[in-house]
């Protein structure tokens, strides 16, 4: 766990997103939850050691930001953008988020198996938002202000949490700091606009969805990665490359790597997914044509190096 400011805590070294919380004069506000069950239980205990959790805000619908909500039942009111709430743990053509959460356990949280719910039990109450908003909203807790800004691009319901008193903002995966960017459900043009909006905030610290805490200078790096992907695939389309040719030849594994902690085995999958998704968008093709299932970490071929 790291202190960003005396009241802002985050953890950037877990498999999954960077769960965070802010301590106010009237309790704690949590932002995202650990994907791994044991880490979620521990993180809740740590946050509650600073006071009762008043609100839990999620920044996006991807499993690594929301699955741990299940272990935060009864810990404050969950707040979700409508675009997030509608997609909360909904299986898609490429990934079943429930299976994906489960697949992480053998390698990263074997003890979590004992508290991993059955599918039916999980979906009865995954602890989605009970405050569901569109646009932006502001929540006041104690002496702190939480401006929830709709910053779509990485996902449709993407939310940035700006806490002016701490001169900090939590961006979710609008920022991948020092690691590969996942473009799967993204609109790159919206995403670049989201970076521009975050640039207008008067903050010292940006807590990304993945990787180390950064300053606003990193917005330019993220922008360069997004535009690098988009222009490379646009060039491929202009040359008349097929989807398969584009996926085979457009690759930023060496330039924009590594993958965030615990998901190293996804490196090539991210390349094919990013290139394929952009090709679909730029050619107006239906999404996900012929994409492979992601590699399963339980397959010995994907075993981590010791
Ligand atoms: Zn994430």
């Amino acid at each position: 766990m790291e202190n960003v400011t005396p009241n802002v805590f985050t953890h950037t070294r877990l498999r999954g997103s960077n769960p965070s919380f802010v301590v106010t004069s009237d309790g704690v506000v949590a932002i995202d939850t650990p994907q791994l069950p044991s880490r979620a239980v521990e993180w809740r205990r740590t946050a509650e050691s600073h006071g009762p959790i008043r609100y839990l805000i999620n920044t996006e619908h991807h499993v690594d930001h929301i699955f741990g909500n299940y272990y935060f039942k009864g810990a404050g009111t969950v707040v979700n953008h409508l675009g997030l709430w509608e997609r909360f743990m909904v299986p898609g053509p490429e990934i079943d988020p429930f299976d994906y959460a489960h697949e992480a356990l053998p390698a990263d949280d074997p003890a979590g198996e004992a508290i991993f719910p059955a599918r039916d039990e999980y979906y009865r109450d995954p602890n989605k938002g009970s405050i569901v908003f569109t646009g932006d909203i502001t929540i006041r807790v104690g002496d702190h202000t939480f401006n929830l800004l709709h910053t779509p691009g990485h996902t449709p319901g993407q939310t940035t949490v700006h806490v002016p008193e701490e001169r900090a903002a939590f961006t979710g995966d609008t920022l991948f700091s020092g690691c590969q960017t996942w473009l799967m459900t993204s609109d790159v043009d919206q995403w670049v606009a989201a970076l521009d909006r975050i640039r207008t905030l008067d903050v010292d610290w940006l807590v990304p969805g993945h990787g180390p805490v950064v300053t606003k200078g990193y917005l330019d790096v993220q922008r360069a990665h997004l535009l690098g992907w988009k222009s490379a695939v646009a060039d491929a389309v202009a040359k008349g490359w097929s989807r398969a040719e584009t996926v085979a030849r457009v690759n930023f594994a060496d330039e924009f790597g590594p993958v965030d902690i615990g998901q190293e085995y996804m490196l090539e999958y991210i390349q094919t997914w990013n290139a394929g998704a952009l090709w679909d968008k730029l050619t107006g093709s239906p999404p996900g044509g012929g994409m492979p299932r992601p590699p399963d970490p339980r397959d010995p071929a994907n075993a981590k190096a010791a």
Side-chain angles (χ1 to χ4, degrees):
M1 188 174 67
E2 301 152 45
N3 266 112
V4 181
T5 72
N7 294 317
V8 172
F9 297 78
T10 191
H11 200 320
T12 64
R13 305 285 304 162
L14 291 175
R15 173 175 178 162
S17 68
N18 294 338
S20 306
F21 61 85
V22 179
V23 178
T24 81
S25 59
D26 187 30
V28 173
V29 174
I31 299 157
D32 289 337
T33 50
Q35 173 189 331
L36 300 173
S38 302
R39 301 292 100 74
V41 170
E42 286 166 21
W43 189 247
R44 175 176 177 172
R45 200 178 299 135
T46 303
E48 289 180 331
S49 74
H50 295 269
I53 297 173
R54 299 296 185 201
Y55 294 97
L56 163 58
I57 303 162
N58 296 112
T59 61
E60 63 179 74
H61 75 274
H62 288 155
V63 60
D64 53 320
H65 300 254
I66 61 173
F67 182 75
N69 280 28
Y70 183 81
Y71 301 96
F72 278 66
K73 289 184 190 181
T77 302
V78 180
V79 186
N80 292 160
H81 188 276
L82 177 64
L84 186 163
W85 188 86
E86 288 175 337
R87 293 169 177 80
F88 199 106
M89 291 294 284
V90 174
E94 290 94 21
I95 275 191
D96 178 318
F98 185 83
D99 284 346
Y100 192 70
H102 200 192
E103 283 163 8
L105 298 193
D108 294 301
D109 184 16
E113 192 66 58
I115 53 170
F116 196 86
R119 181 182 287 267
D120 290 356
E121 181 194 339
Y122 173 81
Y123 277 99
R124 254 196 300 279
D125 179 13
N127 200 19
K128 296 169 68 166
S130 55
I131 294 180
V132 179
F133 67 99
T134 58
D136 303 335
I137 61 167
T138 296
I139 299 173
R140 288 279 308 175
V141 185
D143 298 328
H144 279 80
T145 312
F146 296 83
N147 294 316
L148 280 54
L149 310 177
H150 186 213
T151 47
H154 175 63
T155 64
Q158 199 73 29
T159 302
T160 295
V161 182
H162 173 218
V163 187
E165 292 83 1
E166 301 296 333
R167 299 185 59 78
F170 304 82
T171 68
D173 293 359
T174 299
L175 288 180
F176 283 85
S177 155
C179 55
Q180 289 279 334
T181 294
W182 294 58
L183 292 170
M184 38 191 187
T185 47
S186 305
D187 181 313
V188 171
D189 297 333
Q190 282 188 340
W191 192 335
V192 170
L195 296 174
D196 290 341
R197 186 171 188 203
I198 292 167
R199 191 174 282 112
T200 67
L201 303 176
D202 186 19
V203 295
D204 297 326
W205 303 111
L206 295 173
V207 180
H210 298 269
V213 175
V214 291
T215 60
K216 282 164 71 173
Y218 195 79
L219 293 165
D220 292 328
V221 178
Q222 184 66 65
R223 182 187 172 93
H225 288 194
L226 292 174
L227 296 181
W229 270 109
K230 189 179 170 186
S231 66
V233 176
D235 284 352
V237 171
K239 287 178 192 145
W241 293 1
S242 69
R243 190 182 202 281
E245 282 176 294
T246 302
V247 164
R249 294 159 80 171
V250 176
N251 189 304
F252 290 96
D254 295 334
E255 287 157 81
F256 299 160
V259 186
D260 192 32
I261 298 163
Q263 295 176 290
E264 296 81 0
Y265 64 95
M266 298 291 276
L267 180 63
E268 283 308 318
Y269 183 70
I270 295 170
Q271 308 308 307
T272 60
W273 201 344
N274 283 358
L278 280 170
W279 191 93
D280 294 338
K281 283 221 172 71
L282 292 171
T283 58
S285 306
M291 293 301 289
R293 287 277 297 170
D296 184 338
R298 293 170 297 192
D299 181 335
N302 296 317
K304 292 179 190 175

